[in-house]
Amino acid sequence: MLEQLTTVLRNYKSDDSLQVAETTTFEELSLDSLDVVQLIMDIEEEFGVTIELDKSMKDVGSLLTVIAAAKS
Amino acid sequence: MIKIIGTGRKLPERSVSNDELAAMVDTSDEWITSRTGIKNRFVCTKESLTDLAEGAARIALEKANLSPQEIEMIICPTIAGDFSFPSLACCLAQRLNVKCPAFDINAACSGFIYGLEIAESLISKYKNILIVGADMMSRLIDWNDRASCVLFGDGAGACVVTSGGALKYIRNNADANPEMLFAKSRTGNSPFTNEESDGGFAAMQGQDVYKFAVTAVGEEINLALAKLNLSAADIDYFVLHQANSRIIDGVRTRLKQPPEKFPMNIDKYANTTAATIPILLDEMIDEEKVKTGNTLMMVGFGAGMTTGTCVMVWE
């Protein structure tokens, strides 16, 4: 799932060489609060899920957690 | 069916820059600009909302080559006029010395499109209808709240509508969720309730509003295109409610359309709620961007959560 999420992030950031880990924070990716919403909308399309916005999400790992929860 | 035969806009005199706000609350020009596209807004000091509405209306009437007395109905989309009652439309009718049906509607930032649909439904009875979207958000925002006070400005935008074939599609909707974006009414001093006032300031869930806007506006645009058997490429201009440049860019990117088809003036005026679409339309007409035969899609979205979408082939 991290690989698929990385592809979404690369498309969003227009950076084909972007590397992320679960510990990579939104701040490290220069994503502000509206970027995160837009990214979540892209994730919803990519993964075919609906994700509730949660302000406590701060990093890639938290995104993977909500995607997994939404898919289950 | 209807067409627009005159437009006008009126902003307050007082301009407030991001830098001026940064001296009042903990924010910066860079923060505001990067997250909203806003650089400036106009705020009422001595003007009333009726003043702005009158200014915009007189310009629209002049462009329509009509005297005020030729107006047979006045509709004011607004969140809050100068009075809880009477309506802003009645205050405007007094200024224009017009006797005709006059009333406000509140569909928040979608109000102008709602007004167009009401006009369309009544045009067979009322020959010329004046629609004035006007709001004074400076009364409703908490000027100590850096998250909201930077977003809004005051203003009025007007249009005169008459019979014609320009309007090809109109649809208004509400996906009811009052908690996402709201300002509570005043509570008064009734001895029969313990209801407490929160000051009546505008409050919003910014991320939720953004997601709603980008999603709902995209869906409404696609619905309109499908109904008219058009593609996004067939639309000359998408005239969207000016709430946040990031919302407009988000919608545009998903439609894969170039920036010049999504005109913006939010940098100058910020979000003037029900006034943004007629103000932008009037600017585009003044700049001779809108030409006969152009296809315009106007889309409002706002508290409620409401949406309003229409397509006009300019006459």
Side-chain angles (χ1 to χ4, degrees):
Chain A
M1 197 155 57
L2 177 60
E3 192 176 335
Q4 200 175 354
L5 179 56
T6 302
T7 301
V8 176
L9 278 161
R10 283 175 177 166
N11 287 338
Y12 186 76
K13 297 290 291 182
S14 300
D15 180 356
D16 290 341
S17 60
L18 182 70
Q19 297 291 332
V20 297
E22 290 193 22
T23 54
T24 307
T25 65
F26 298 154
E27 189 175 357
E28 287 168 339
L29 292 166
S30 299
L31 297 174
D32 66 24
S33 60
L34 297 184
D35 285 317
V36 172
V37 183
Q38 190 67 56
L39 182 63
I40 284 172
M41 293 166 69
D42 291 350
I43 290 169
E44 287 179 329
E45 278 188 13
E46 173 68 20
F47 288 84
V49 295
T50 301
I51 295 172
E52 291 294 317
L53 295 174
D54 180 354
K55 286 178 181 169
S56 68
M57 287 191 289
K58 302 288 183 198
D59 55 24
V60 171
S62 58
L63 277 177
L64 291 169
T65 301
V66 295
I67 293 167
K71 286 171 75 89
S72 64
Chain B
M1 297 302 283
I2 56 171
K3 64 179 178 181
I4 292 173
I5 57 171
T7 57
R9 65 185 187 275
K10 184 70 176 177
L11 285 306
E13 286 186 14
R14 177 72 155 88
S15 167
V16 179
S17 69
N18 288 349
D19 286 334
E20 189 171 353
L21 287 182
M24 294 164 53
V25 292
D26 184 15
T27 189
S28 68
D29 176 51
E30 189 281 328
W31 192 96
I32 300 168
T33 304
S34 65
R35 283 165 180 75
T36 68
I38 297 165
K39 302 286 289 182
N40 193 71
R41 73 283 296 143
F42 290 84
V43 176
C44 289
T45 52
K46 296 172 183 171
E47 305 94 337
S48 67
L49 192 58
T50 306
D51 291 334
L52 300 185
E54 181 188 3
R58 289 194 182 280
I59 293 167
L61 286 164
E62 188 179 335
K63 288 182 184 173
N65 273 325
L66 292 179
S67 70
Q69 286 65 41
E70 291 175 275
I71 291 297
E72 298 184 0
M73 173 174 279
I74 299 175
I75 304 170
C76 285
T78 185
I79 289 172
D82 288 323
F83 302 94
S84 294
F85 59 88
S87 67
L88 177 64
C90 284
C91 296
L92 177 57
Q94 183 194 41
R95 293 283 186 88
L96 297 175
N97 193 26
V98 173
K99 287 186 170 59
C100 69
F103 57 94
D104 295 353
I105 57 168
N106 183 352
C109 303
S110 306
F112 181 71
I113 310 297
Y114 274 65
L116 283 175
E117 184 163 23
I118 294 168
E120 200 267 340
S121 69
L122 295 170
I123 202 67
S124 61
K125 184 173 181 183
Y126 303 96
K127 187 178 175 188
N128 299 308
I129 298 178
L130 175 64
I131 305 173
V132 185
D135 268 308
M136 196 189 290
M137 285 298 288
S138 60
R139 284 177 176 148
L140 294 173
I141 52 179
D142 180 354
W143 286 94
N144 297 309
D145 176 17
R146 64 176 181 166
S148 62
C149 77
V150 303
L151 302 176
F152 297 97
D154 302 334
C159 77
V160 179
V161 165
T162 194
S163 293
L167 185 69
K168 305 299 183 189
Y169 173 92
I170 191 158
R171 174 182 140 87
N172 289 292
N173 195 30
D175 185 357
N177 187 342
E179 293 81 19
M180 201 181 287
L181 174 56
F182 65 90
K184 288 185 74 174
S185 294
R186 71 185 296 273
T187 52
N189 65 350
S190 168
F192 304 105
T193 177
N194 292 320
E195 187 181 20
E196 291 184 5
S197 171
D198 67 354
F201 296 124
M204 72 173 73
Q205 305 296 326
Q207 287 184 315
D208 293 292
V209 171
Y210 178 91
K211 188 177 181 186
F212 167 83
V214 173
T215 305
V217 171
E219 288 173 355
E220 291 294 338
I221 288 174
N222 286 326
L223 184 61
L225 292 173
K227 287 275 185 188
L228 296 171
N229 199 24
L230 297 174
S231 72
D234 295 319
I235 305 297
D236 294 297
Y237 293 109
F238 293 88
V239 183
L240 266 55
H241 167 54
Q242 304 284 295
N244 185 318
S245 63
R246 298 270 292 271
I247 291 175
I248 296 169
D249 283 334
V251 172
R252 180 181 64 76
T253 303
R254 288 177 165 234
L255 287 168
K256 298 181 173 61
Q257 294 297 299
E260 57 268 25
K261 290 177 71 170
F262 284 72
M264 286 196 236
N265 60 9
I266 190 170
D267 57 323
K268 293 186 287 187
Y269 307 130
N271 180 350
T272 55
T273 55
T276 68
I277 292 175
I279 287 174
L280 179 57
L281 183 62
D282 184 51
E283 274 198 342
M284 292 171 65
I285 290 168
D286 281 355
E287 292 166 5
E288 299 183 344
K289 283 183 178 169
V290 180
K291 295 180 171 56
T292 302
N294 279 169
T295 303
L296 276 65
M297 186 181 292
M298 296 187 263
V299 189
F301 53 92
M305 301 298 287
T306 59
T307 53
T309 309
C310 76
V311 177
M312 284 193 182
V313 176
W314 207 252
E315 293 187 346

